[in-house]
Amino acid sequence: MNRVKLPSISPSYTVAIRDEALSNVDWWQQVQAKYHEIESTPHQLWLLFAEDSFDFSCCLFALLLAKRTPVLPPNQQIDTLLHFVDKVDAVCADHGVGQNLPDVATGYREFLNESASKGMLQDIDIKDEQALHLYTSGSTGQPKKVIKKWRQLLAEVDTLEQYFGSHVEQSLICTSVSHQHIYGLLFTILWPLLTQRPWLVKLVTYPEDLFSAAQQAISFVSSPSFLEHLSVQTQLLKRKPQFCVSSGGPLKPTAASALSLQWNYAPTEVFGSSETGGVAYRNQLSQQYWKVFNGVNWRVSPSKALQICSPYLEDSKAWHQMDDAVSIEADGFNLVGRLDRVVKIAEKRVCLDQMTSELADHPWVAHCDLLTLSSSRDYIGAVVVLNELGQQQIENGKFFLNKTFRRYLSKQFEAVTLPRKWRYVDALLVNSQGKRQIPKMRLLFT
């Protein structure tokens, strides 16, 4: 891990770019100021959230250096924050929760000279067992706590540097994903910060933002949903990132092909989860299947579930079973569906991934998603984004569309298992990581 370390205090270099360049000296000044605020309190468990990734990083490391436990909420919706406030001792954030101001504000503080960063925290170690708490939605949509130790995060950053470091040299790290989740935290804050590479603080929200950022050498950390949207906007693909990585789900082959046609390379995809960290990678231009990172061992259970033994798990010697079903291929494994997406409808086992894939193949469908709902009994609800051909059928009425799609699915699935309710939307409900927003999907059916 020779390159993976906290920023040095000198010589000065750029850590991040906001409206102006922010240096390692700026970073240490902010960390020290927040450290002293945090250290003066007895609080151990801290809810941490901020839109600004530089401010967030300073407060994250102030908490870790003070031996406090950061708790990262899965999003910043008011109900989510109110839920978490009752479970922590204090809040470090860029705004209050309800009527309460944060105990420590994340905002940037001006210093007149560099002396404020001298002789302070660089000699303090972050212990291997120091933890932070992340939350993932899980299969039910309810927040699920994942505890990450500092040693696990360091091991992942070291792997990212080994595999991808040479691809991002002399480039600015830009991202369309949030740092509140493990993927964004690792790729857009910890990796660049601990390997002395600059990142762009402003989030890439639209393809136009990427086009503007790509006037200089950039590396782009993104998600399948963003890249699939980008792949059809050929005018905005004329400026290409030096390197592009995607995670959160498999990238559609059509999107990978369209991007590689314009960029002369396909995005590198990383497969993993909040619990396991990175497991495997692929590049569809050169490999169809997933190849595990060095140090990760894998096998397939009798139920076809992927099992891994990994240095990124809390117990690096224990086998961990994932919810992903896989098949063994010559150069790795193939993802064939989610085991937690196999449900029982009227006592019939239904694979929602299989049904979703079948529905997505209909010539009127651009995108779709399925979920289970309950009334007097469990049933399936369908959320559909129509393509141009499908839009032309709207004048026939939604009942006609529902009936057409049910008839189409009935070729493979029993009638009792077919979706009972249908909703037609302009875009699927996913977050910046491309993760399904199950609670919001349920609201479509209320």
Side-chain angles (χ1 to χ4, degrees):
M1 297 189 187
N2 54 338
R3 278 208 65 181
V4 177
K5 57 187 178 182
L6 287 177
S8 60
I9 194 63
S10 64
S12 179
Y13 64 88
T14 298
V15 166
I17 295 177
R18 198 154 44 195
D19 296 326
E20 69 290 325
L22 297 162
S23 72
N24 50 326
V25 174
D26 294 322
W27 189 82
W28 274 115
Q29 287 176 337
Q30 300 304 313
V31 171
Q32 177 166 327
K34 304 306 178 186
Y35 172 88
H36 288 309
E37 285 189 73
I38 292 162
E39 183 77 346
S40 67
T41 77
H43 306 313
Q44 180 60 39
L45 211 56
W46 288 74
L47 188 66
L48 173 61
F49 60 90
E51 291 288 345
D52 187 290
S53 58
F54 180 83
D55 292 345
F56 174 91
S57 74
C58 296
C59 292
L60 173 67
F61 277 88
L63 286 165
L64 293 173
L65 289 165
K67 298 180 174 55
R68 309 303 164 90
T69 305
V71 177
L72 278 54
N75 60 59
Q76 294 187 39
Q77 302 302 311
I78 184 61
D79 285 350
T80 300
L81 297 179
L82 288 171
H83 168 81
F84 278 95
V85 160
D86 292 336
K87 300 179 182 299
V88 297
D89 305 317
V91 176
C92 181
D94 56 2
H95 63 80
V97 180
Q99 300 300 313
N100 300 314
L101 293 174
D103 298 89
V104 171
T106 59
Y108 187 85
R109 182 175 160 189
E110 293 288 350
F111 291 93
L112 296 178
N113 54 59
E114 295 186 9
S115 62
S117 61
K118 302 290 185 186
M120 30 110 194
L121 301 176
Q122 295 96 317
D123 294 331
I124 301 177
D125 288 329
I126 300 174
K127 302 301 182 185
D128 283 352
E129 297 305 307
Q130 174 76 41
L132 64 83
H133 297 175
L134 295 151
Y135 282 82
T136 181
S137 60
S139 58
T140 65
Q142 294 302 311
K144 176 184 176 183
K145 181 166 71 176
V146 177
I147 297 174
K148 286 289 180 182
K149 302 291 179 65
W150 181 241
R151 58 176 167 79
Q152 295 171 258
L153 297 171
L154 275 183
E156 283 227 61
V157 172
D158 189 49
T159 295
L160 297 183
E161 182 62 15
Q162 288 180 34
Y163 276 81
F164 310 128
S166 62
H167 298 289
V168 301
E169 287 292 3
Q170 308 301 316
S171 69
L172 180 68
I173 307 295
C174 303
T175 183
S176 64
V177 303
S178 169
H179 50 259
Q180 296 283 156
H181 299 267
I182 187 67
Y183 171 45
L185 177 66
L186 281 166
F187 275 80
T188 71
I189 290 184
L190 296 183
W191 182 27
L193 184 66
L194 299 179
T195 57
Q196 296 79 55
R197 293 192 178 91
W199 79 85
L200 183 68
V201 171
K202 184 183 178 183
L203 205 65
V204 173
T205 307
Y206 304 104
E208 291 81 2
D209 298 335
L210 180 66
F211 185 76
S212 176
Q215 294 179 77
Q216 60 185 305
I218 64 167
S219 293
F220 187 41
V221 178
S222 193
S223 66
S225 58
F226 188 98
L227 293 176
E228 286 160 14
H229 179 52
L230 174 67
S231 68
V232 298
Q233 303 192 47
T234 53
Q235 288 300 312
L236 298 177
L237 295 174
K238 291 184 177 179
R239 292 179 188 158
K240 64 180 180 180
Q242 178 175 309
F243 177 70
C244 180
V245 63
S246 174
S247 191
L251 183 62
K252 288 185 177 179
T254 51
S257 177
L259 291 169
S260 65
L261 195 63
Q262 296 291 326
W263 291 349
N264 296 320
Y265 73 88
T268 294
E269 298 172 72
V270 173
F271 164 70
S273 69
S274 298
E275 295 89 346
T276 64
V279 172
Y281 65 98
R282 71 173 180 180
N283 186 299
Q284 292 189 41
L285 206 57
S286 57
Q287 62 192 93
Q288 181 179 358
Y289 303 115
W290 298 90
K291 184 178 293 185
V292 296
F293 290 110
N294 287 339
V296 176
N297 295 310
W298 66 285
R299 66 190 185 190
V300 181
S301 76
S303 64
K304 305 301 182 186
L306 177 63
Q307 296 179 333
I308 66 161
C309 186
S310 167
Y312 318 135
L313 291 166
E314 185 169 4
D315 184 347
S316 61
K317 294 181 173 56
W319 286 94
H320 172 88
Q321 181 160 307
M322 300 182 70
D323 290 324
D324 300 275
V326 300
S327 61
I328 300 173
E329 306 296 341
D331 58 348
F333 62 81
N334 185 35
L335 294 171
V336 297
R338 293 277 296 181
L339 294 171
D340 58 1
R341 297 265 288 160
V342 176
V343 298
K344 274 200 169 183
I345 303 293
E347 286 70 58
K348 309 285 186 181
R349 286 173 62 86
V350 180
C351 177
L352 293 181
D353 280 346
Q354 181 185 1
M355 188 180 284
T356 301
S357 177
E358 183 69 19
L359 180 58
D361 285 340
H362 192 281
W364 297 350
V365 174
H367 306 286
C368 62
D369 202 351
L370 303 178
L371 73 165
T372 54
L373 301 163
S374 294
S375 55
S376 56
R377 62 184 176 87
D378 290 342
Y379 63 95
I380 294 172
V383 180
V384 179
V385 180
L386 298 170
N387 59 22
E388 288 186 17
L389 284 175
Q391 293 286 346
Q392 295 170 14
Q393 305 299 324
I394 288 180
E395 62 185 33
N396 294 317
K398 291 182 180 177
F399 179 77
F400 168 77
L401 288 170
N402 300 352
K403 187 176 179 181
T404 301
F405 290 138
R406 282 176 58 89
R407 187 186 306 119
Y408 177 78
L409 291 174
S410 68
K411 297 174 184 177
Q412 281 207 32
F413 303 93
E414 296 182 58
V416 72
T417 68
L418 298 178
R420 280 176 50 195
K421 290 189 176 181
W422 299 76
R423 296 294 183 266
Y424 298 95
V425 297
D426 294 330
L428 292 184
L429 297 172
V430 295
N431 63 15
S432 62
Q433 278 70 40
K435 297 292 187 180
R436 306 162 69 235
Q437 300 293 279
I438 297 174
K440 289 183 179 180
M441 287 174 62
R442 293 193 189 285
L443 287 176
L444 295 173
F445 295 89
T446 57

